[in-house]
Each structure stands twice: as C-alpha cells, then as structure tokens.
C-alpha cells in the first residue's frame, strides 16, 4: 500500500531545508550588520567634518583676540556639534582645527573619526 501526502520524505533529507533557511537568514543578518557598521562610520566621519568646519569658522571669528580665544571658541562649537577638539592653532588670521568623533559601529567595537579644517578671512 502506498501512502500519499504523508510527512515521510526521502532518507537523509530530514531537516535539510531548515538548515538552509537558517544559513540564509544568518547571511542576511551579517550583511545587515555590516551595512549598519559602514553607515555608522560614514555618519561619524561626516559629523567630524562638520565639527571641524564649524569649529574653524567660529575660531576664525575670534582670531583677532588671539589663539586662546579662537581655540576656546572652536572647542565650544566642535563640542556642540558632537565632536572633540584635538588640535587648534592660529596661523596669522587662519585657524586650523582638528576634531574627532567617537563611534561604536558594532557592540564592543569602538572607532574614532577625525577631520581637519581651516578657516580665515577672504583673500582677494
């Protein structure tokens, strides 16, 4: 007597589809985590650029008052934009700023994005 429509399959193939489905799901999760890590790193790099640019512009506005005033203002603005001032110096009336932003793209993995900017008066 032949049994049709039963759950009995061919010997040696029990659970094969489940294992394949789990492997495909794991691959999707890994690709998603990698994409999220890359996105977080790119966002941190852009945030470091913004902090450095705005810090340099703010510092250039205070350049006539000297390096301590210019770099103090640059540090305030960099911090307000989510960054931390690493370096600041006055070169004539130009302010050169380097800022960093810490990022954790994946749990347990910490990185730092760094950017530099220069701002000063318009030269003709």
């Amino acid at each position: 007597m032949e049994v049709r429509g039963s759950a009995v399959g061919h010997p040696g193939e029990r659970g094969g589809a489940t294992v394949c489905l789990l492997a495909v799901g794991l691959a999707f999760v890994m690709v998603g985590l990698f994409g999220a890590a890359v996105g977080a790193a790119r966002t941190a790099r852009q945030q470091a650029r913004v902090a450095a640019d705005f810090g340099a512009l703010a510092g250039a506005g205070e350049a006539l008052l000297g390096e301590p005033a210019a770099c103090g203002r640059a540090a305030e603005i960099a911090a307000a934009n989510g960054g931390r001032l690493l370096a600041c110096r006055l070169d004539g009336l130009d302010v050169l700023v380097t800022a960093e932003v810490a990022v954790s793209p994946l749990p347990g993995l910490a990185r730092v994005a760094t950017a530099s900017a220069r701002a000063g008066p318009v030269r003709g």
Side-chain angles (χ1 to χ4, degrees):
M1 175 175 182
E2 187 177 330
V3 179
R4 294 184 184 209
S6 69
V8 178
H10 297 286
E13 292 184 12
R14 294 184 56 149
T18 302
V19 172
C20 287
L21 184 62
L22 287 174
V24 168
L26 181 63
F28 277 125
V29 168
M30 295 303 288
V31 168
L33 284 174
F34 178 74
V38 169
R42 291 184 74 183
T43 301
R45 185 176 60 197
Q46 184 63 32
Q47 188 175 4
R49 285 180 184 163
V50 167
D53 285 344
F54 285 166
L57 288 170
E62 304 287 327
L64 291 175
L65 301 176
E67 188 168 312
C71 290
R73 186 66 177 148
E76 289 175 17
I77 298 300
N81 283 285
R84 185 174 76 86
L85 193 67
L86 286 180
C88 176
R89 71 180 178 93
L90 201 57
D91 181 20
L93 291 178
D94 289 352
V95 177
L96 291 90
V97 169
T98 301
E100 73 174 4
V101 172
V103 62
S104 295
L106 295 174
L109 180 66
R111 295 285 185 244
V112 176
T114 306
S116 296
R118 179 183 195 115
V122 176
R123 291 174 175 78

